[in-house]
């Protein structure tokens, strides 16, 4: 059963959208001189939102007392089938990788959980 979802709830996201660069890894096209697989990459540009979803049930206890909440970045997208470990770069230059996905078929949206790519890890991947 479908309903009027007002253009995939775009009216709720109009102020939070930003330009994102998504690099989706394709099949392996061979190996490099170190024997590591080299993947084809497809670059997609989208204008969608990334939100911080706080989970009050997951916290870290500080050494000096108190608790720190844990947040998860969620990319709300209309792009289907973005595989895990695809790279998402925000407008501010920070890069993340997709680690899991959820779907809302009624809204026509996909929810990708993002994990920060550390600089050393990113450079290692790019062979720098």
């Amino acid at each position: 059963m479908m309903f009027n979802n007002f253009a995939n709830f775009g009216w709720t996201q109009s102020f939070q959208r930003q330009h994102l660069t998504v690099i989706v890894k394709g099949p392996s096209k061979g190996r490099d001189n170190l024997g590591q697989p080299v993947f084809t990459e497809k670059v997609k540009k989208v204008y969608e939102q990334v939100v911080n979803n706080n989970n009050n049930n997951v916290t870290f206890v500080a050494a000096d007392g108190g608790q720190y909440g844990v947040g998860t970045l969620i990319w709300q997208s209309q792009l289907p089938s973005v595989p895990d470990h695809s790279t998402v770069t925000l407008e501010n230059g920070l890069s993340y990788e997709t680690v899991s996905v959820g779907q809302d078929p009624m809204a026509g949206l996909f929810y990708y959980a993002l994990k920060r790519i550390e600089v050393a890890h990113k450079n290692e991947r790019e062979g720098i």
Side-chain angles (χ1 to χ4, degrees):
M1 175 194 320
M2 295 302 291
F3 66 98
N4 183 359
N5 62 14
F6 307 102
N8 300 75
F9 299 101
W11 56 275
T12 63
Q13 304 167 3
S14 59
F15 295 109
Q16 297 175 332
R17 290 184 182 167
Q18 57 183 306
H19 295 281
L20 305 174
T21 303
V22 182
I23 301 174
V24 178
K25 289 191 169 96
S28 175
K29 61 179 182 180
R31 298 198 174 266
D32 64 9
N33 57 354
L34 298 175
Q36 298 295 319
V38 177
F39 296 96
T40 58
E41 294 181 343
K42 183 182 259 186
V43 177
K44 299 179 180 184
K45 302 276 188 176
V46 295
Y47 187 60
E48 296 175 331
Q49 71 176 353
V50 174
V51 296
N52 187 358
N53 181 23
N54 288 325
N55 183 347
N56 295 329
N57 295 321
V58 181
T59 59
F60 288 106
V61 178
D64 58 350
Q67 293 183 332
Y68 296 111
V70 176
T72 302
L73 282 181
I74 304 291
W75 166 35
Q76 295 181 358
S77 179
Q78 295 180 19
L79 283 179
S81 305
V82 174
D84 287 351
H85 308 293
S86 295
T87 303
V88 178
T89 304
L90 280 56
E91 280 183 341
N92 62 8
L94 295 177
S95 293
Y96 297 85
E97 68 180 6
T98 57
V99 292
S100 64
V101 63
Q103 181 182 8
D104 185 351
M106 297 297 282
L109 293 172
F110 295 85
Y111 302 95
Y112 297 97
L114 301 177
K115 180 178 84 170
R116 176 80 164 96
I117 298 175
E118 298 300 326
V119 175
H121 186 230
K122 181 180 176 188
N123 291 341
E124 187 177 284
R125 282 185 177 184
E126 296 173 355
I128 297 174

